[in-house]
Amino acid sequence: MEQLKERIRREGKVLPGNIIKIDGFLNHRVDMKLLSDIADEFAKHFDISKVTMILTAEASGIALASMCAYKYGVPMIFAKKAKSDNIESGLIQSEIFSYTYKKRVTLLVSQEWLGPDERVLIIDDFMANGMAVGGLVDIVKKAGAELVGIGIAVEKGFQGGGDKFRAMEDIPYKALAVIEKADQNGIIFREEND
Amino acid sequence: MEQLKERIRREGKVLPGNIIKIDGFLNHRVDMKLLSDIADEFAKHFDISKVTMILTAEASGIALASMCAYKYGVPMIFAKKAKSDNIESGLIQSEIFSYTYKKRVTLLVSQEWLGPDERVLIIDDFMANGMAVGGLVDIVKKAGAELVGIGIAVEKGFQGGGDKFRAMEDIPYKALAVIEKADQNGIIFREEND
C-alpha cells in the first residue's frame, strides 16, 4: 500500500536496535483517515462478506481494528492482556511471550464473545516476531471458530513473524507494508506482487 | 442518550459489588455502529469545530475515541499506562491510582503529540471514580493545551467521579448515560435535562 509506505518513509524514525518508530500516525497519535484507507485496502485482500467479527489484541491494535469493524459492519473484539496467571472461568486463553513487557502475558477473550460459529478476521497494526498474532490464532482455534484471514498494517519483515504465517497456506495473510531493512540509511520495503 | 440507556437496560448485568458489566457492546465486544451514534451525540454537546485532537487512555477508551476522531476529522491520541516508575524524557505524565490494577499507574503522553496549541476533547467509555479522566485533565494542563470538554459514554453516577467534573464550571462535561443505582432489581438512570 503505497500511501502507507510513503508515510513510513517520511515520518518513520529508526532508533538503535532496529526499533522503528511510527507512533506519529499509527501507534500513539493515530491518523484515523489513514486507518480508514487501510481498512479499505484490507477489503481488497480478504473476503469481507464472510467475516462476522474483527479480533485484535490490546492496546495499539484497537484503533485499526475498530475502523475495520465499523467499515465492514461487524463487531470488534479485543483480547485483553493479563500479566497475572489468575485463571477465571469462561475465558479462552493463550500464553505468549511479550517483548514489550519482557515477560509472559496471557491473552484473554471471553467465550461469550467468540463461539464456534464466528468467522474471524484478525487485524493488528504492527507485527515483529508475530507472538501476539500467534496467540490470537491460537484463541480462534480453541474457540472452534473459522479464521478468515490475518491483516497487518506494518510488518517488520526481517524479524520473521510474517513469513511464519505466509507458510501456513490455509490462512490468507496480508501485510500492507513489509519493512525488509531499517537502519540509519533509511527504510527499505520488500517488493511484493499485490 | 436513550439508545445507549436502552442497550444498558437490555444487555447490562449487575454483579455483586455494584460492578456493571456492559462488555458485550462497549468494552470487550464493541458495537461500532453504537459508537458511531455516540460520537454523533457528543457532537451536539461540544463545539467540535474547535477541537484539534481527541485524547483518551488505553485500553477500553480507544475504540470510542477512534470513532470520534474519525467523525470529527482530527487525530486520536491515547495515554499509555506504565506500571513502572521509569522516567523517560519527552513525556507528559500523571500518576493515578488504578482500581483495575489495584496500584499506582502512570499515564503517559509524548510531548511531541500534545503541545500548547492543541484544543483537546477528552473521551472515555466509562467513568467510575474519575481517576483516569482526572489524570488526562492533568496531562492537558501540564501540556499548556486547552481543554474543550470531557465526553463520557457511561458514568456510574453513584461513585461521584462525574460530579467532581460537573463542579468545575469552566470545563464542559457530558455523560450520555448516568447510572444512579444498580442492583439485582435493575439499573436506574439519573434524570437529566439535555
Side-chain angles (χ1 to χ4, degrees), chain A residues 172-185:
Chain A
Y173 174 89
K174 182 67 191 175
L176 301 182
V178 182
I179 297 173
E180 201 55 271
K181 196 176 166 195
D183 57 28
Q184 300 312 317
N185 298 319

Side-chain angles (χ1 to χ4, degrees), chain B residues 2-20:
Chain B
E2 195 46 44
Q3 182 197 170
L4 178 59
K5 291 178 187 171
E6 188 50 38
R7 286 293 286 271
I8 296 169
R9 277 191 208 101
R10 212 169 57 216
E11 298 176 38
K13 288 169 208 149
V14 182
L15 305 183
N18 282 327
I19 292 168
I20 300 156

Side-chain angles (χ1 to χ4, degrees), chain A residues 52-68:
Chain A
T52 62
M53 60 173 267
I54 304 294
L55 180 67
T56 193
E58 69 173 355
S60 71
I62 295 176
L64 178 57
S66 294
M67 187 47 59
C68 291

Side-chain angles (χ1 to χ4, degrees), chain A residues 13 23-24 27-30 32 36 58-59 62-63 66-67 69-71 75-78 83 110 112-113, chain B residues 13 23-24 27-30 32 36 58-59 62-63 66-67 69-71 75-78 83 110 112-113:
Chain A
K13 287 169 207 149
D23 58 358
N27 290 135
H28 184 171
R29 178 185 184 274
V30 182
M32 297 306 300
S36 158
E58 69 173 355
I62 295 176
S66 294
M67 187 47 59
Y70 175 66
K71 292 217 147 187
M76 184 276 295
I77 287 93
F78 64 91
K83 273 128 246 158
S110 173
E112 201 176 349
W113 314 129
Chain B
K13 288 169 208 149
D23 58 358
N27 291 135
H28 184 170
R29 178 185 183 275
V30 183
M32 296 308 299
S36 159
E58 68 173 356
I62 295 176
S66 294
M67 188 45 62
Y70 176 66
K71 292 218 146 186
M76 185 277 293
I77 286 92
F78 65 91
K83 272 126 246 159
S110 173
E112 202 176 350
W113 314 129

Side-chain angles (χ1 to χ4, degrees), chain B:
Chain B
M1 186 184 176
E2 195 46 44
Q3 182 197 170
L4 178 59
K5 291 178 187 171
E6 188 50 38
R7 286 293 286 271
I8 296 169
R9 277 191 208 101
R10 212 169 57 216
E11 298 176 38
K13 288 169 208 149
V14 182
L15 305 183
N18 282 327
I19 292 168
I20 300 156
K21 262 188 79 135
I22 48 176
D23 58 358
F25 56 95
L26 194 67
N27 291 135
H28 184 170
R29 178 185 183 275
V30 183
D31 178 343
M32 296 308 299
K33 176 66 176 68
L34 175 66
L35 264 49
S36 159
D37 292 343
I38 291 174
D40 290 342
E41 189 70 23
F42 282 138
K44 299 176 189 168
H45 295 279
F46 301 108
D47 185 359
I48 297 301
S49 66
K50 277 189 72 176
V51 173
T52 61
M53 60 173 267
I54 304 293
L55 180 66
T56 193
E58 68 173 356
S60 71
I62 295 176
L64 179 57
S66 294
M67 188 45 62
C68 291
Y70 176 66
K71 292 218 146 186
Y72 311 156
V74 295
M76 185 277 293
I77 286 92
F78 65 91
K80 299 184 182 185
K81 286 177 184 165
K83 272 126 246 159
S84 72
D85 294 317
N86 287 343
I87 307 288
E88 289 181 55
S89 63
L91 294 170
I92 312 169
Q93 312 194 15
S94 183
E95 199 177 78
I96 60 167
F97 184 84
S98 164
Y99 287 89
T100 309
Y101 294 112
K102 302 269 185 295
K103 64 199 289 189
R104 285 185 176 279
V105 165
T106 305
L107 293 179
L108 304 169
V109 174
S110 173
Q111 281 174 355
E112 202 176 350
W113 314 129
L114 176 48
D117 295 337
E118 300 287 352
R119 296 186 299 275
V120 183
L121 178 62
I122 292 174
I123 293 287
D124 214 349
D125 59 332
F126 210 74
M127 175 176 289
N129 49 56
M131 295 298 256
V133 170
L136 294 176
V137 171
D138 185 36
I139 282 174
V140 173
K141 283 183 184 163
K142 284 176 177 166
E146 184 183 340
L147 182 57
V148 176
I150 300 169
I152 305 293
V154 182
E155 179 194 327
K156 290 166 84 175
F158 57 89
Q159 294 204 352
D163 292 330
K164 194 169 65 186
F165 294 104
R166 283 184 191 91
M168 298 179 190
E169 287 177 6
D170 54 332
I171 302 172
Y173 173 90
K174 182 66 191 176
L176 301 181
V178 182
I179 298 173
E180 200 56 271
K181 198 178 165 191
D183 56 29
Q184 301 312 318
N185 297 319
I187 294 171
I188 293 166
F189 294 96
R190 189 183 292 184
E191 293 294 327
E192 281 180 295
N193 303 317
D194 275 322

Side-chain angles (χ1 to χ4, degrees), chain A residues 116-159:
Chain A
D117 294 338
E118 300 286 352
R119 296 186 298 275
V120 182
L121 179 61
I122 292 174
I123 293 287
D124 214 348
D125 59 332
F126 210 75
M127 174 176 289
N129 49 56
M131 294 297 256
V133 169
L136 295 176
V137 170
D138 185 37
I139 282 174
V140 172
K141 283 184 184 164
K142 284 176 177 166
E146 183 183 339
L147 181 56
V148 176
I150 300 169
I152 305 294
V154 182
E155 179 194 326
K156 290 166 84 174
F158 56 89
Q159 293 203 351

